[in-house]
Amino acid sequence: MLRRRDLLLSALAAASLPALPLPTRAQTAAAAPLLPAGTPRLPADFVWGASTSAYQIEGAVTEGGRKPSIWDVFAHTPGRIADGTTGDVACDHYHRYADDVALMGDLGFQAYRFSLAWPRVMPEGTGPVNAAGLDFYDRLVDSLLARGIQPMACLYHWDLPQALQERGGWRNRDIAHWFADYATAAIGRLGDRVKPWAMLNEPSVHAIFGHGFGNHAPGLTGWDSYVKAQHHLNLAQGTGIAAARALRADLKLGTVLSLQPIFPASQDPADIAAAARFDACWNTINLDPLFHGRYPDLFAEDFAPLVKPGDLETIRAPIDFLGVNYYGPSYIKHDPNAFLGQASWGALPPNTPQTLLGWPISAQGMVDVLARLRDAYGNPPVFITENGACYEDPAPVDGVVQDPARTEYIRAHLVAAGQAIAQGCALKGYYVWSLLDNFEWAEGERRRFGVVRVDFASQQRTPKASGLYLSQLMKAARAGAAP
């Protein structure tokens, strides 16, 4: 474990400027340069962070009283994960959290967004609280605070206790109350030190892929399943916020949504209409109930049978911040066979840059998302809680992984962050996805987003040029220098 720290410190040791610990000149030349002159300056109080999620990094799935989640069951089902791996070990963060926190501190991160594993805190989903599970998060939080890193906790990042799935999971309306009880247990233990709390991570994505397409846990399919899961996720978000506010008045409460610009794949009227339907299912199915107390007109009738008196008032619970996960836009075509509003992904415009996953790259799209929040949803305080890119990384050379494409992706989106702020958007911070290469859901361990490389066999951590680049910027910002 010490060797990993030594490698990082060695990579940062040969500094070009005393105030800015940098990689060697050769390493810096192979990575992207610092932000160019004229880039909009980010505010002095701008928060620089990294994000992870419990199932993707923790491992130790049978330790400390934890019981299975829907992702444990899904990942162990043959054919579900592209490379056959599981999250049983992942990054072994459960045992290596202290080194990972030290790594964040050495790189200069000011904040860390992590998620709690519901089956570690309440193994059966309801009933007794597992003290040993909360002890782990106690240790993690205390380690973060000791390094001057602000923790942001997310209560739910897709790893529902399997015991609750067997009671209907997100299709069962009772889950809104189960979630409130879980929120009470977690915040009651950690809320004296953790102040920003996000209720959910990407509820629309969880509903679409886990309960509609079926290629994420719990592997359910169909429109009816999707609608029930989506409404109950929205409802639980509201009950969780209410439970948290009843516990403490000093918390900052919000939720995390995946938002993206949606464009028609062509100017065919059918594709234009399909793009509008897809936008409703991906974006406004969360935004409209949260900020306006109603479902989008396109699908209001579909949700109406599930909406009971008081539901929309509960969902519209005021928030202190909105987390936005942004990766890129989607181009949508009409597809009569698609369960999701007869809409599916179409061809990208010619010469559109893409990541290894085929996701289109558009930093301008992040500005567009933030401008939409400014103009249509009251300009809430926003943190970019995930932003990053998957590429095929080379092997480390001289203790650093050279990833210039990822570095440029991050650079471009930080430029976009400054542009959005200059245009009046209430953007308060940026959390890169992800701190570590991890178990990337249905892709398994074969796809990497980290700014730190993880060798899953040895658990060796190796900084990437993108992580060292961020380190330069974060330490410059902390020193009060222009990036």
Side-chain angles (χ1 to χ4, degrees), residues 181-235:
D181 291 343
Y182 161 55
T184 298
I187 296 172
R189 178 73 171 267
L190 303 172
D192 60 329
R193 286 152 292 154
V194 180
K195 298 308 175 184
W197 287 83
M199 299 297 108
L200 307 176
N201 178 78
E202 298 184 349
S204 69
V205 179
H206 191 41
I208 290 168
F209 289 102
H211 300 80
F213 284 121
N215 53 355
H216 278 190
L220 302 177
T221 59
W223 180 255
D224 181 68
S225 173
Y226 154 74
V227 170
K228 287 179 179 176
Q230 181 62 79
H231 178 61
H232 298 148
L233 281 157
N234 284 343
L235 189 60

Side-chain angles (χ1 to χ4, degrees), residues 65-90:
R66 183 189 182 278
K67 288 192 175 180
S69 75
I70 56 175
W71 267 98
D72 294 288
V73 174
F74 189 82
H76 279 271
T77 303
R80 289 296 200 177
I81 308 301
D83 62 359
T85 59
T86 71
D88 288 3
V89 177

Side-chain angles (χ1 to χ4, degrees), residues 160-180:
L160 187 73
Q162 179 62 24
L164 292 188
Q165 185 59 39
E166 292 168 5
R167 297 166 65 181
W170 289 106
R171 295 175 300 172
N172 184 338
R173 181 182 173 86
D174 290 342
I175 199 167
H177 303 295
W178 302 338
F179 182 77

Side-chain angles (χ1 to χ4, degrees), residues 83-109:
D83 62 359
T85 59
T86 71
D88 288 3
V89 177
C91 303
D92 196 29
H93 178 73
Y94 183 83
H95 298 112
R96 300 168 188 267
Y97 73 91
D99 277 356
D100 290 338
V101 170
L103 177 63
M104 279 188 275
D106 292 340
L107 286 169
F109 284 104

Side-chain angles (χ1 to χ4, degrees), residues 336-356:
N337 297 315
F339 96 89
L340 193 67
Q342 296 187 315
S344 63
W345 288 269
L348 303 181
N351 303 316
T352 299
Q354 304 171 45
T355 68
L356 183 63

Side-chain angles (χ1 to χ4, degrees), residues 8-17 20-28:
L8 174 61
L9 294 174
S10 175
L12 292 170
S16 301
L17 298 171
L20 286 173
L22 303 173
T24 66
R25 291 181 186 276
Q27 291 163 355
T28 301

